[in-house]
Amino acid sequence: MSNLEKKISLPSEAVKIYQIIDENAKISIKELEKQTKLDRGKLEYYLGFLVTNELISRLEIVSHQIYLTNNGKEAAEDQLVERRIAKILKEKVGVSFTDLSKLVKTENKEMNAGVGLLKKQGLIKIDKGQISLIDKKKEVNKELQTILEQLLSGKTVDTSDFNEILLQRNLASLEEVKDILLEILIPYKEVSSSIQKMNEVSRLTPEMIRDGSWRDTRLREYNLKASPPTFYGGRKQPYAEFLDEVKQKLCALGFKEMRGPIVELEFWNFDALFQAQNHSAREWSDVYQVSNPKQGKLPKADYVENVKKAHEYGYDTGSKGWRYKWDPIKSAQLVLRAHGTSVSARTLVDLEVPSKYFSISRCYRPDTVDATHLCEFTQVEGIVVDPSITFRDLLGILKAFAVDIAENEHFKFKPDYYPFTEPSVELNVLDPNLGWIEFGGAGIFRPEVTKPFGIEAPVIAWGLGIERLFMVKNGITDIRELFSHKFDWLRTAKMSRG
Amino acid sequence: MVSIKASYKKMQEMLGKQLSIEQLEDLLSYAKSEIDQYIEEEDMLVIDIKTSNRPDLWSPEGMIREIKGILEEESGIPEYEVKESGYVVKVDSQLASTRPYIACAVAKNISLTDYYIKQIMQLSEKIDYSYGRQRKRSSIGFYNLSMIKSPIEYKVIEETHEFIPLESTEKMSLERILEEHEKGKEFGHIIKGYGHYPILLSADGTTLSLPPVINSNDVGKITEETTGSLIEVTGTNFETVNVVLNILCQVLVTHGAEIYSVKIEYPPDIYTRSVITPLFDKEEIEINLDVVNKYLGTKMKPKDAAKLVAKRRFNCNSIDSNILTIEIPPYRKDILHWVDIAEELAIALDYNKIGPTKWKVLTTGGLLPETESENLVRNILVGAGGTEVLTNILTDPEILTTKVNIDKQEYVRIENPVTSTYSVMRKMIYPLLINVLSKNTHETYPQMLFEVGEIVKLIDKKVVTQSNAAFLCADADASFEDTHKRLNQLLSLLDTDYEIKQINHPSFTEGRCGLILIENKKCGIIGEIHPSILENNQIWVPVVGFEIELPLIPSLKCNVKSTD
């Protein structure tokens, strides 16, 4: 069946456009835009009907057009430099380069080029530094000047003979121009009788649905290629969401969540963890001290007394202890939680055995904030307690963290140091780009930590470098980005799982 | 953590083998150290040592001693002969209450290149700074032996006493040293706390040093030409000064020096007897191998364990069935309990060869109800179109006060902030959200953001931590309705009746602000941010929002956590 025999449904606007193209036989889309006064989106939409029905062809054409550069524009307006020089030399005979330069009012580099050009064309002679014109009647580069002026006025000019020199002298540049050419395939009069004009609307209204008129109506096609307007829906902060995911994984591994206060007694942050009161981590440079108020209240409980004994002589653990006089006032001072282990320390009170706990907590150290340091950061910490647990089990837990949380089968252990655990281990995982990176640490709480709370079973304490993991997974190199205020990132950061 | 610099070439020389950086790093892990940086042009390694309680590891010599044990090139406690030097130090009883303890040794036959002198100085500085608690607990001095006559006096002297301190050309009184000399300014406060000036004098009256501040310029330094030196450590605890002296002697012995002892004559009110230093107290600890095996999950036999401790530079002095008596090297004071020996055994076995067990300890996991509650609120606010942000809890007082029209208030403050930008704890979240808006004025509107996070405040002079939720909407068309409908949705989904009572609040426009009341209790605020705040923060569109205290919503399970 040929086009001629078929009925063709077209919106009336498309018919008008068809007629215009037919009159012109060939027309560029820009020209068509002008004539129809339709915006590009609509125009393309109607052209779609004509193309689908093979009434017209739509060709994308790439051509090269010459455009004046700023240099070229100046030359078009003020004359080419060699013409300016020649003009002066027509009036004066024998001018020095310096004088000429002043008269032409241009910079030396351009002057040099102009003089050089005239010399090359044999139009001037230089005698003892004095420049003069050989033939005063001869016009200098007149055709080039005319071309420039025509280009400036926006006329269509054939520049092909001059392109090389225009580009060479940086007077013009050649730019790619994309255009769409519409060409008639079947003349309008041949098909006009088989064209049916459609009743067409762009919106489906509630009335149309109710009264059934949608049946006689053609809904205008959507331009599915158009880019949608920007939209930002609500979403969770990417790092917060990552922490949610870590929490979920830890819960799946059987860990219960624990939380504690941000402002902490030194007792829970240090003393309960067997850090001697003169330990350097307790200095001003290592922990934020609270000034208002300075002191909290120590719990009134046996374990405070036991902790004191552990520091002074080892309590009944068999340890030597730190052998100094423990000061309850120092212990009651308030600090900002410096590590998540203080939350674990609080959990030692009435600890359920066996049990596994984790906490994700904001922690604080007086660091200068830069790409690798925050003074407020997140720690993921926890404990595992069971009467039968051993150091080998601790390694097993770290292995599970490497495999399940860092999703990395390549891991190794290194000796580490924490004041409150013995032995202490560092967990490294192998990142394909960064090599071995520290991902976590763990150890068995010293008996000086657990016995004061009446715990006889070994307690494994562990921590994970979760910030680093998030950064590695998301290609973030500046740790400050985790708490970024940039809407751009908050709105568009990808949610893909690493 | 302690960080030191050492030559890569010299490290390999001392180990007697060529090693790649990776190989060296692997070995250093046995000394709880890692290479932070390798500066190739300077042949310089920056090594971080993780132990704050093992100053014996804070030098290449110390780390290599450890590594040679692991490589089984050396074993047990390194021994060296100590002869008597004949030198005596007399200690003044007036020092009893301030800095009473001193330990000294004489080293002869020293032949140190400039590099190793600098290494020893680096070690001394690190020990003074960290282990010696910035010289309060202990400080080290090296002197040219040929200029010193015995008996040496360690005593209290008047502030008018003069000598030429290091880095100076003229005699200065002790008082002036504290006021003007760089080290006097740095460490003078320690002496000021004593109320008198400690001094070390040679028998001929020559000043050795003003401990712990500065040595004398001529007697108190060692150079490549020095062959004999007096080493001295003063401090507040005998065990500390003695262990530091032992560490230094051990390093010098590594380089072929001979060590001679010094007799310290204490008055009875400091120490009951004279002491010969360096003192090797031959400290021992007993371990029950059955207990250790159970602790580690290992199956070591007594003989294997004896070999393993020797690998870690301990001596096993006796084995009595499953009880091993372990001798601790005199340069280590970190062994308090048998668990410390258990770690040494585990390291000698190699953590990577011990083998992790399979996951056991079966327990059920779960989030705390308060976290679940917070997540509920977060989900509703995301559904309301909010972009979640995380801001700092420790923040800038400006953001909390002047930037939101609020006068100074009672905040929980930090005594020792690094900068005022992080110096108070927030007790509301919305000021931080306004701060976020002020940084995003170039981004498209509407901007809707929220945070569910912790705040810290004082209730009846007690510090508490709790969670709040804040939501802000910024848009050219933003009106009270935009925030009201979202609060209403939040609270109705949480099955909570509430009322809004009009009030005036400096952050909000008059007549456009209300208290959120639940069961007649104030639990939050809602309104339109005052235009002066918008102007002040250069936010050029209206902003509306609310903040609500989650512990006060009855259907949620958020609580107030008190520090006490």
Side-chain angles (χ1 to χ4, degrees), chain A residues 218-446:
Chain A
R218 184 187 156 96
L219 285 166
R220 201 175 291 159
E221 277 172 38
Y222 283 131
N223 177 4
L224 301 177
K225 297 234 165 90
S227 2
T230 321
F231 170 75
Y232 300 114
R235 69 176 292 186
K236 288 185 181 162
Q237 206 265 10
Y239 180 53
E241 188 155 56
F242 170 76
L243 293 178
D244 290 345
E245 199 189 328
V246 171
K247 282 181 200 172
Q248 218 171 50
K249 286 180 175 173
L250 287 167
C251 290
L253 288 171
F255 287 87
K256 275 199 179 75
E257 195 190 13
M258 53 182 179
R259 282 170 74 163
I262 290 175
V263 173
E264 191 53 285
L265 291 167
E266 284 206 30
F267 178 80
W268 293 115
N269 202 80
F270 297 118
D271 294 291
L273 295 167
F274 196 54
Q275 271 178 280
Q277 293 192 320
N278 72 348
H279 193 282
S280 51
R282 301 180 72 156
E283 302 260 333
W284 267 47
S285 54
D286 283 63
V287 62
Y288 277 120
Q289 306 191 331
V290 174
S291 69
N292 174 36
K294 270 187 180 350
Q295 297 269 331
K297 250 175 44 205
L298 284 181
K300 287 217 184 313
D302 291 346
Y303 49 76
V304 176
E305 192 58 28
N306 296 347
V307 166
K308 168 189 162 83
K309 287 174 185 164
H311 279 242
E312 291 186 345
Y313 62 84
Y315 183 50
D316 66 354
T317 64
S319 165
K320 283 161 70 182
W322 294 120
R323 287 150 290 146
Y324 70 103
K325 185 141 182 45
W326 187 81
D327 181 5
I329 296 178
K330 167 87 179 149
S331 195
Q333 274 175 14
L334 294 175
V335 295
L336 294 193
R337 175 169 62 207
H339 52 184
T341 323
S342 70
V343 188
S344 301
R346 280 179 178 267
T347 309
L348 295 179
V349 179
D350 301 325
L351 182 69
E352 197 185 316
V353 181
S355 59
K356 300 203 293 268
Y357 283 98
F358 80 94
S359 80
I360 296 192
S361 54
R362 293 270 182 102
C363 300
Y364 301 82
R365 303 232 175 115
D367 259 325
T368 303
V369 175
D370 61 28
T372 54
H373 297 90
L374 291 175
C375 60
E376 177 171 345
F377 52 96
T378 336
Q379 277 201 342
V380 180
E381 298 248 347
I383 50 178
V384 177
V385 57
D386 185 274
S388 73
I389 212 160
T390 69
F391 180 67
R392 286 185 61 204
D393 297 318
L394 176 153
L395 297 178
I397 290 168
L398 287 179
K399 179 186 167 182
F401 288 155
V403 173
D404 291 329
I405 295 183
E407 291 160 359
N408 198 323
E409 297 282 344
H410 304 280
F411 58 90
K412 69 176 180 186
F413 306 120
K414 282 162 95 176
D416 204 347
Y417 170 73
Y418 300 103
F420 37 82
T421 55
E422 202 78 19
S424 310
V425 194
E426 181 183 303
L427 169 66
N428 284 217
V429 293
L430 187 61
D431 180 82
N433 304 315
L434 304 168
W436 287 105
I437 56 171
E438 191 181 330
F439 173 59
I444 304 177
F445 268 144
R446 301 184 65 95

Side-chain angles (χ1 to χ4, degrees), chain B residues 97 120 135 162 227 342 489 531:
Chain B
S97 60
I120 288 172
R135 301 193 185 176
E162 289 188 331
T227 56
Q489 189 214 18

